[in-house]
Amino acid sequence: MTEFELITHYFQAHPNTRSDVILSIGDDAALLLPPANQLLAVTTDTLIEGVHFLPGTAPQTLGHKSLAVSLSDLAAMGAEPAWIVLSLSLPTIDESWLSAFCEGFFSLSNSYHLQLVGGNTTRGQLSISTHLTGFIPAGKALRRDGAKPGDFIYVTGCLGDAALALACLQGKAAIPAADLTIIKPRLETPTPRVAAGLALRDIATAAIDISDGLAADLGHILQQSNVGAALNLRDLPLSKTLQNLSQDRGFHLALSGGDDYELCFTVSPEKVSLLEGAFLGLDITYQKIGVIKQERGLKLEGVEGFTLKNEGHDHFLKNKTCL
Ligand code: ADP
Ligand code: MG
C-alpha cells in the first residue's frame, strides 16, 4: 500500500456529512465555511509513543484518545466541535493497526458530528497530531481569566483514576485486577465533557480541562484571573477505587494526577440554580470542591496536616516524559 492508497482507503473514503465542508480530503487544502457571527475555537494536540502513551497501546484506544484530548480542549472553551485535521507519523503501513485506529477515531468523531477534512501522513516514530476547530458565539467562550472572589469551584466526574491506571500499567502501583479493569478506560478512552462545556456557556465564569492535574490546571485559572482559592479535600470526587487507597495517596492522585480530561469551572453564587438546571439532562456528575478567594495561592482545607508534594505534570520541568 502506498501513502496515497492509505489516505484514500482509510481517511478519504469516510463520507462527508457536513454542509459547511465545501471541499474535504484530496486537494492541497480543505475549504470550509465558517458560520456567520461565531468565533472559531482552534486547538491542537500531539500524542507521541513513549511520551504520551505506552508502546504497544491498542490502536483503537489511540484513535479514540487522540481525538478525545482535543475535544476536551474545545469542551473547556464551551465550543461546538466541527472540523478535524489529522497528522500521522507511522513507522510502517500496518493495515490492521490502521483499521483499529480508524475504528476508535471515527466512532468518536461520528458521535459528535465531526468531519475529518485533511491531514498529513509521514513515516517516522509513531505520533498522532489532531487539530480541531469548533464554533462559539462571540462573548460566550469559557476562558481561564474570568474567575471572581466568591465564585464556587466545581469539577465534573471524578479525579485521579487515569493516573492510577497508568501507575498500575507501569508496575508502580498495584490494585485488584477487577478495579484496574474499571479504571483503565479512564486512561485509554476518556470521555470529553463537550456537553458540559456547551451547557456552561452562560453559567461559568471560567473553565479549564484537567489534563495535568487539578492543582496545576486550577492554578492556571487562578493565575490568569488574578485570584486564589480554597479547596476542601473532603469534597474531591474520588472513585471507589481511589477511596480504597490510603487517604494521602487518593488526594495526591486527585490533585496532581494527569489525563483526567474532566472540566474544572467556576460559577458565581447567583448562578448555582442555573447550573443545577443545566446539568439535569446531562449524564455527567459534578461536584463543588471549593471557592475562589481574593488572596492569591491555593489553600487545601479539610484534612489536618496534608501537604501536596507534586503539583502536576510539566513536560520540561520534572520527568522528561509523562510515562
Ligand atoms: P500535500 O502534499 O499537497 O500537502 P498530501 O499529499 O500530503 O497533500 O495529502 C493529500 C490529501 O490527503 C490532502 O487533502 C490531505 O489533507 C489529505 N491527508 C493526508 N494525510 C491525511 C490523514 N492522515 N488524514 C486525513 N487526511 C489526510
Ligand atoms: Mg500540495
Side-chain angles (χ1 to χ4, degrees):
M1 189 175 250
T2 67
E3 175 190 331
F4 298 103
E5 286 166 347
L6 181 161
I7 294 167
T8 308
H9 184 76
Y10 290 101
F11 300 113
Q12 197 170 8
H14 208 75
N16 175 24
T17 58
R18 292 187 65 104
S19 58
D20 53 13
V21 178
I22 309 306
L23 187 63
S24 189
I25 296 169
D27 213 311
D28 294 305
L31 297 175
L32 308 168
L33 187 66
N37 304 319
Q38 295 210 50
L39 300 182
L40 301 182
V42 176
T43 183
T44 190
D45 281 286
T46 298
L47 299 187
I48 300 171
E49 185 176 54
V51 178
H52 302 94
F53 59 91
L54 295 164
T57 299
Q60 191 168 346
T61 68
L62 284 179
H64 176 106
K65 187 161 179 178
S66 59
L67 190 51
V69 298
S70 290
L71 275 172
S72 176
D73 284 323
L74 290 188
M77 296 304 291
E80 176 199 335
W83 308 319
I84 321 167
V85 175
L86 171 68
S87 287
L88 277 179
S89 164
L90 304 169
T92 55
I93 295 183
D94 174 342
E95 293 205 46
S96 70
W97 189 96
L98 276 160
S99 296
F101 176 86
C102 284
E103 225 174 289
F105 186 90
F106 287 115
S107 87
L108 189 61
S109 73
N110 289 343
S111 62
Y112 289 98
H113 193 215
L114 272 164
Q115 186 67 42
L116 179 65
V117 299
N120 191 50
T121 307
T122 56
R123 184 171 187 162
Q125 182 192 359
L126 180 59
S127 147
I128 305 147
S129 290
T130 45
H131 175 108
L132 251 74
T133 304
F135 308 146
I136 188 155
K140 300 251 178 195
L142 306 174
R143 299 166 46 139
R144 297 177 178 183
D145 59 4
K148 298 273 181 303
D151 287 355
F152 296 132
I153 305 167
Y154 295 84
V155 288
T156 58
C158 51
L159 303 174
D161 288 335
L164 178 60
L166 177 62
C168 292
L169 295 179
Q170 292 177 298
K172 294 178 183 169
I175 58 173
D179 286 353
L180 182 56
T181 308
I182 294 169
I183 62 167
K184 210 167 135 193
R186 302 269 298 143
L187 172 70
E188 295 191 328
T189 51
T191 304
R193 303 304 188 188
V194 174
L198 292 173
L200 288 169
R201 272 182 180 177
D202 292 308
I203 297 170
T205 51
I208 191 166
D209 69 320
I210 305 173
S211 51
D212 297 326
L214 172 67
D217 288 320
L218 173 60
H220 295 308
I221 289 184
L222 302 184
Q223 193 187 6
Q224 294 194 28
S225 300
N226 268 311
V227 292
L231 296 186
N232 188 335
L233 294 169
R234 302 230 171 254
D235 290 334
L236 292 177
L238 306 184
S239 67
K240 287 250 154 34
T241 309
L242 249 76
Q243 288 172 31
N244 287 339
L245 304 176
S246 76
Q247 180 179 274
D248 197 78
R249 192 99 201 276
F251 288 154
H252 270 97
L253 283 163
L255 289 164
S256 57
D259 265 2
D260 281 323
Y261 301 104
E262 296 294 348
L263 296 186
C264 174
F265 57 94
T266 56
V267 176
S268 72
E270 305 83 69
K271 292 212 170 168
V272 167
S273 58
L274 276 179
L275 174 68
E276 287 162 5
F279 270 77
L280 265 185
L282 305 181
D283 189 22
I284 302 173
T285 59
Y286 67 101
Q287 168 85 26
K288 186 167 109 184
I289 57 168
V291 65
I292 296 291
K293 303 276 188 191
Q294 189 131 38
E295 188 188 325
R296 302 293 300 263
L298 178 63
K299 285 210 189 79
L300 301 174
E301 298 172 345
V303 177
E304 199 68 15
F306 177 87
T307 44
L308 185 61
K309 291 185 196 100
N310 165 16
E311 264 233 339
H313 177 69
D314 182 318
H315 279 279
F316 293 100
L317 269 188
K318 285 165 233 133
N319 21 351
K320 282 207 189 68
T321 72
C322 66
L323 294 178

